[in-house]
Each structure stands twice: as structure tokens, then as C-alpha cells.
């Protein structure tokens, strides 16, 4: 977000030359797992008021989201588990962060509602697709870009809460990333709904049931 979509790692679709494997023990998967484990750590830090360490965790999460995608492609370690684990970690981190920052008054509750509404829409869409024999949709670049924007917006907005010149600058940059993230997030959501509408319209289409990667 500056979250269900899978597949595209590091901001672009898996290239045709990349082989999706069933491996579990890979470097990118380890990075995604660490990011997932840091979710409760961030929650404790933000509730306890340790904003400095919470900021470090947020920044590290955003950087690791980019890193695991890059390593997956360069090391030839794109895996099915990674296509599930990476967006799951992104989504969970985004919403725990959102709730924590909203509870602290760093971000407004309407921002939480706007992003949750998009997730509810996609959940309904996935249920409809499943009833018609389709798997999750292919990820779109706009979805991943929106996630990146939101992941970078949160540490900036937390830094803005500290005030001063640095805080003022962080506020401007943070809200710029947040608005871009929300816009891209919903734009991607609209694309997924449109694609689902087309698929559902294919009564008994030949490609029904084919495995597809999930969208972020």
C-alpha cells in the first residue's frame, strides 16, 4: 500500500523464462516469512508507544517486500508458496499497520474503511469466481504498485506525527504516497472485477478451472 493478489514479485509479472517451482526453502520465502513474523512485533511496538522502533520495522517491511521479489527472479527461486506468502504478508502488515496507526490517531479511520471496502469487494468477487469454477485472477501491476505506495506511506506518516520540519516534509510525502496507493489499489480492484465479469460470462468456458495466480 504509499491487499487477495499474488504472483507478481518486485513490481512486475513473473517473466516467461522464470519457472514457478514447488520449493519451500528459498531465500525469498524466508524474507516473506520474516516480514510476516514482524507483524505482531510492530503491533506491540505501536501500542506501547515505541514509535522509533515501529518506524524501523515499517521501513524494513517496505524494503523487504521489494527485495524478495528481486531475489526470486534473479536467483530463479519463484515458487508457488512465495506467490501466496508474499501477498499474504503484505496484506496482513498493511492492515495491522493501518489499525495501529488509526488507533494512535496518526491516520484517519476513513482511510481504514476505504481500504477494507476494497478488500470486501474482492472477497465477494473471489467467491463468485470459485462458484463458477475459476481460480484467483492474475495479478495486475497497478495492484502491486498500490501496495508499494501504501507500504512506503505508513512509515512517512508515522514520522510526520513527530512534528518539526522533518515531520512536515514526511507528512507531504506520506500523504502523496497514501493517495496514490489508494487510487491504484481501487483502480486495480476495478480491473479485477471487470476481468471476473468477463470470465463469469463465459458459461462453461474451456479455460475454467485453470490455475491462476492471486492478485495483490
Amino acid at each position: 500500500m504509499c491487499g487477495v493478489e499474488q504472483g507478481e514479485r518486485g513490481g512486475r509479472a513473473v517473466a516467461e523464462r522464470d519457472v514457478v517451482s514447488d520449493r519451500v526453502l528459498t531465500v525469498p520465502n524466508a524474507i516473506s516469512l520474516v516480514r510476516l513474523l514482524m507483524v505482531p512485533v510492530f503491533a506491540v511496538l505501536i501500542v506501547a508507544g515505541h514509535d522509533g522502533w515501529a518506524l524501523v520495522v515499517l521501513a524494513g517491511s517496505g524494503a523487504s517486500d521489494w527485495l524478495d521479489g528481486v531475489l526470486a527472479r534473479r536467483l530463479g527461486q519463484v515458487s508457488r508458496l512465495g506467490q501466496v506468502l508474499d501477498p499474504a504478508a503484505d496484506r496482513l502488515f498493511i492492515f495491522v499497520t493501518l489499525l495501529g496507526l488509526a488507533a494512535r490517531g496518526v491516520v484517519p479511520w476513513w482511510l481504514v474503511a476505504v481500504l477494507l471496502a476494497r478488500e470486501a469487494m474482492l472477497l465477494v468477487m473471489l467467491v463468485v469466481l470459485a462458484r463458477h469454477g475459476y481460480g484467483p485472477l492474475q495479478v495486475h501491476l497497478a495492484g502491486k504498485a498500490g501496495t508499494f505506495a501504501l507500504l512506503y506511506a505508513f512509515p512517512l506518516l508515522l514520522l510526520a506525527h513527530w512534528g518539526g520540519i522533518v515531520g512536515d516534509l514526511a507528512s507531504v510525502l506520506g500523504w502523496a504516497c497514501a493517495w496514490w496507493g489508494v487510487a491504484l489499489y481501487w483502480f486495480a480492484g476495478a480491473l479485477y472485477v471487470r476481468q471476473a465479469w468477463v470470465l463469469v460470462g463465459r458459461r462453461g468456458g474451456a479455460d475454467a478451472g485453470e490455475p491462476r495466480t492471486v492478485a495483490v
Side-chain angles (χ1 to χ4, degrees):
M1 294 183 180
C2 165
V4 176
E5 305 157 4
Q6 306 167 5
E8 183 168 322
R9 316 279 309 257
R12 71 175 189 181
V14 175
E16 293 182 0
R17 56 183 171 79
D18 293 328
V19 177
V20 180
S21 72
D22 293 320
R23 293 179 61 186
V24 173
L25 300 178
T26 67
V27 174
N29 287 351
I31 294 174
S32 294
L33 179 60
V34 169
R35 187 164 70 257
L36 194 60
L37 294 175
M38 292 304 289
V39 171
V41 174
F42 172 80
V44 171
L45 290 173
I46 198 68
V47 169
H50 299 307
D51 291 356
W53 286 110
L55 182 61
V56 171
V57 172
L58 276 178
S61 175
S64 68
D65 186 47
W66 168 81
L67 181 62
D68 64 4
V70 171
L71 291 178
R73 294 190 303 273
R74 292 188 178 178
L75 299 178
Q77 295 183 351
V78 177
S79 67
R80 290 182 176 82
L81 176 61
Q83 291 179 336
V84 174
L85 191 60
D86 181 41
D90 288 347
R91 246 182 188 67
L92 186 58
F93 214 106
I94 284 171
F95 288 107
V96 169
T97 301
L98 257 181
L99 292 174
L101 294 181
R104 287 282 307 278
V106 176
V107 299
W109 282 102
W110 63 258
L111 182 59
V112 180
V114 166
L115 295 177
L116 284 178
R118 187 262 198 182
E119 293 307 309
M121 178 184 72
L122 292 189
L123 179 60
V124 172
M125 180 197 73
L126 289 176
V127 172
V128 172
L129 283 173
R131 293 186 62 181
H132 285 80
Y134 287 92
L137 299 177
Q138 187 76 300
V139 70
H140 194 280
L141 177 60
K144 192 63 177 178
T147 300
F148 275 132
L150 290 170
L151 284 174
Y152 285 110
F154 294 145
L156 287 169
L157 292 175
L158 181 57
L159 182 60
H161 197 59
W162 294 357
I165 297 177
V166 174
D168 292 341
L169 180 59
S171 178
V172 173
L173 293 176
W175 277 110
C177 289
W179 280 113
W180 270 108
V182 169
L184 288 170
Y185 219 48
W186 271 95
F187 176 68
L191 292 177
Y192 298 138
V193 170
R194 181 180 180 278
Q195 186 178 356
W197 180 272
V198 172
L199 289 174
V200 170
R202 300 176 184 171
R203 301 293 181 180
D207 57 347
E210 289 184 358
R212 294 178 178 80
T213 52
V214 183
V216 181

